[in-house]
Coordinates of all heavy atoms in Angstrom, one line a residue:
K18 N -60.9 64.7 46.1 CA -60.4 66.0 46.5 C -59.7 66.0 47.9 O -59.0 66.9 48.2 CB -61.6 67.0 46.6 CG -62.3 67.2 45.3 CD -63.5 68.3 45.5 CE -64.2 68.5 44.2 NZ -65.3 69.5 44.3
N19 N -59.8 64.8 48.6 CA -59.4 64.8 50.0 C -58.8 63.4 50.2 O -58.9 63.0 51.4 CB -60.5 65.2 51.0 CG -60.9 66.6 50.9 OD1 -60.1 67.5 51.4 ND2 -62.0 66.8 50.3
W20 N -58.2 62.8 49.3 CA -57.9 61.4 49.5 C -56.4 61.4 50.1 O -56.0 60.3 50.7 CB -57.9 60.6 48.2 CG -56.8 60.9 47.2 CD1 -56.9 61.9 46.1 CD2 -55.5 60.4 47.1 NE1 -55.8 61.8 45.4 CE2 -54.9 61.0 45.9 CE3 -54.8 59.5 47.8 CZ2 -53.6 60.7 45.6 CZ3 -53.4 59.2 47.5 CH2 -52.9 59.9 46.3
H21 N -55.7 62.3 50.0 CA -54.3 62.2 50.6 C -54.1 62.8 52.0 O -54.7 63.8 52.2 CB -53.3 63.0 49.6 CG -51.8 62.6 49.8 ND1 -51.1 63.0 50.7 CD2 -51.0 61.8 48.8 CE1 -49.9 62.4 50.6 NE2 -49.9 61.8 49.5
A22 N -53.4 62.1 52.8 CA -53.4 62.4 54.2 C -52.6 63.8 54.4 O -52.8 64.4 55.4 CB -52.5 61.3 54.9
R23 N -51.8 64.2 53.4 CA -51.1 65.5 53.5 C -51.9 66.7 53.1 O -51.4 67.9 53.0 CB -49.7 65.4 52.9 CG -48.8 64.4 53.5 CD -47.4 64.5 52.9 NE -46.6 63.5 53.5 CZ -45.2 63.5 53.6 NH1 -44.6 64.6 53.2 NH2 -44.4 62.7 54.1
G24 N -53.1 66.5 52.6 CA -54.0 67.5 52.2 C -54.3 67.5 50.8 O -53.7 66.9 49.9
P25 N -55.2 68.3 50.4 CA -55.8 68.5 48.9 C -54.6 68.8 48.0 O -54.7 68.3 46.8 CB -56.9 69.4 49.1 CG -57.4 69.4 50.4 CD -56.2 69.2 51.2
L26 N -53.8 69.6 48.2 CA -52.8 70.2 47.3 C -51.8 69.0 46.9 O -51.5 69.0 45.7 CB -52.0 71.3 47.8 CG -52.8 72.7 47.8 CD1 -51.7 73.8 48.2 CD2 -53.4 73.1 46.6
I27 N -51.6 68.2 47.9 CA -50.7 67.1 47.5 C -51.5 66.0 46.7 O -51.0 65.4 45.6 CB -50.1 66.3 48.8 CG1 -49.4 67.4 49.7 CG2 -49.2 65.2 48.4 CD1 -48.4 68.1 49.1
G28 N -52.7 65.8 47.1 CA -53.6 64.8 46.3 C -53.8 65.3 44.9 O -53.9 64.5 44.0
H29 N -54.0 66.6 44.7 CA -54.3 67.2 43.4 C -53.1 67.1 42.6 O -53.1 67.0 41.3 CB -54.8 68.6 43.5 CG -56.2 68.7 44.0 ND1 -57.1 67.7 43.7 CD2 -56.8 69.7 44.7 CE1 -58.3 68.0 44.2 NE2 -58.1 69.3 45.0
Y30 N -51.8 67.1 43.2 CA -50.6 66.9 42.3 C -50.6 65.5 41.8 O -50.4 65.3 40.5 CB -49.4 67.0 43.2 CG -48.1 66.7 42.5 CD1 -47.5 67.5 41.7 CD2 -47.4 65.5 42.8 CE1 -46.3 67.2 41.0 CE2 -46.3 65.3 42.2 CZ -45.7 66.1 41.2 OH -44.5 65.9 40.6
M31 N -51.1 64.4 42.4 CA -51.1 63.1 41.9 C -52.3 62.9 41.1 O -52.2 62.2 40.1 CB -51.1 62.1 43.2 CG -49.8 62.2 44.0 SD -49.7 61.0 45.3 CE -49.2 59.6 44.3

Side-chain angles (χ1 to χ4, degrees):
K18 296 178 181 178
N19 291 287
W20 70 267
H21 201 285
R23 297 192 181 201
L26 290 185
I27 308 301
H29 287 325
Y30 175 75
M31 299 185 76

